[in-house]
Amino acid sequence: VQDGSLIPRFGRARRDPSLAVLEGFHPLKHALRFDAELLEVVCVDPDQLARLTSTLAGDVAERIRALARPIEREVFSQLAPLPPATGVISLAARPASDPLSLLTAERDAPAVLLEDPRDLGNMGACVRVSAGADAAAVLTTGSHDPWHPDALRGAAGLHFALPVCRLESLEALRERSGPLIALDPDGEELDPTTLGPHSILAFGTERYGLSDELTALADRRIRIPMRAGVSSLNLATSVAAVLFAWRLAHPSGQPPSRH
Ligand SMILES: C[S@@+](CC[C@H](N)C(=O)[O-])C[C@H]1O[C@@H](n2cnc3c(N)ncnc32)[C@H](O)[C@@H]1O
């Protein structure tokens, strides 16, 4: 591939549902750790990349050295709206996931459902904490692509650590296995010992919370206790609070380390 043709290639990839654009070093590191298929890795300075890799991710240093090829700084600066400061950008294939089978399959950890999340960085933070807590999957509804490069950046590329996909409609939830638990500041108080591994934990959109449709489908509504006067937590913070409350209440569950 000629350097110049990388510009339209990366531009098209941002809108291609079969590809993932990995802006920067951390998304590349996690993509490699979690077995992504890397299609292109380009950098401005291989020596700088080698130093970064040996400091932060010695386990994938050899693979990054073999994959990364240097390109002109002028071309690199046009491969993303905000070229990553770490001087590396990559393309990977998105792993295929089927949202319906994720909803109906037996799970050994809760799945996270984000209803119409609006902020791509926040969406990425939800994926990151879900991967850290070893949740079963992250499903989203609404118009935003959970694999948008900004969400991948916010997740440090941890989309490759668990299934992440968009659900076209809430109708599919009628076929679910396990209880649907809505996180709602007006629900009953959270008792993490009652959260089973088959649960689907649903979180509402940033400004308006859960829709009436989702609330009507839910088996239970639970709240994370907060100090009086605080109306709600940030979306990713509430995902973190519930998943880690679940993890800490079930210490004999699967260890959070598939790798
Ligand atoms: C920023 S909040 C939405 C705030 C919205 N005004 C509301 O009242 O729900 C985004 C989502 O995080 C979850 N959330 C935030 N704080 C929560 C709490 N204390 N208990 C349960 N869920 C919470 C809910 O799922 C909520 O829909």
Side-chain angles (χ1 to χ4, degrees):
V1 180
Q2 296 294 310
D3 283 7
S5 67
L6 288 169
I7 299 168
R9 185 165 184 224
F10 272 77
R12 283 193 303 273
R14 300 181 81 79
R15 297 179 297 281
D16 185 334
S18 68
L19 295 176
V21 179
L22 309 176
E23 297 177 353
F25 176 74
H26 294 288
L28 171 62
K29 170 188 74 180
H30 282 131
L32 287 169
R33 282 194 186 147
F34 291 98
D35 306 325
E37 182 190 349
L38 269 298
L39 306 173
E40 191 78 70
V41 180
V42 295
C43 65
V44 281
D45 180 347
D47 294 335
Q48 180 205 348
L49 182 59
R51 283 193 297 276
L52 197 61
T53 310
S54 67
T55 313
L56 298 175
D59 57 318
V60 289
E62 189 48 43
R63 287 157 75 201
I64 291 181
R65 195 197 56 74
L67 286 166
R69 69 181 175 94
I71 60 168
E72 297 290 321
R73 190 174 290 276
E74 168 63 17
V75 172
F76 185 85
S77 69
Q78 297 178 66
L79 299 185
L82 187 64
T86 45
V88 62
I89 187 165
S90 319
L91 285 184
R94 288 192 202 187
S97 321
D98 171 17
L100 296 183
S101 55
L102 291 170
L103 285 174
T104 52
E106 287 293 304
R107 288 175 291 276
D108 57 11
V112 170
L113 171 65
L114 306 176
E115 188 178 25
D116 195 15
R118 308 306 304 160
D119 183 289
L120 292 163
N122 217 0
M123 219 168 169
C126 292
V127 172
R128 185 175 187 166
V129 75
S130 300
D134 211 15
V138 176
L139 299 160
T140 66
T141 68
S143 56
H144 283 321
D145 176 9
W147 285 78
H148 187 285
D150 291 356
L152 276 157
R153 200 194 269 241
L158 282 159
H159 289 59
F160 294 96
L162 77 176
V164 176
C165 56
R166 187 159 53 185
L167 194 60
E168 287 299 329
S169 116
L170 293 179
E171 268 306 298
L173 284 169
R174 295 189 189 281
E175 309 298 317
R176 67 184 178 272
S177 64
L180 176 64
I181 300 181
L183 272 293
D184 180 344
D186 294 326
E188 66 187 272
E189 186 159 319
L190 166 67
D191 172 357
T193 61
T194 67
L195 296 180
H198 307 306
S199 310
I200 299 170
L201 304 171
F203 298 83
T205 193
E206 286 93 335
R207 181 163 303 179
Y208 301 112
L210 293 157
S211 68
D212 293 343
E213 186 187 358
L214 197 146
T215 304
L217 285 168
D219 298 292
R220 288 167 61 200
R221 291 186 301 129
I222 59 172
R223 78 184 145 87
I224 305 159
M226 295 182 297
R227 180 178 175 179
V230 177
S231 41
S232 70
L233 300 174
N234 157 278
L235 174 61
T237 306
S238 48
V239 174
V242 180
L243 285 180
F244 279 96
W246 169 77
R247 270 235 78 85
L248 294 168
H250 297 86
S252 58
Q254 299 275 322
S257 54
R258 293 199 180 109
H259 283 247

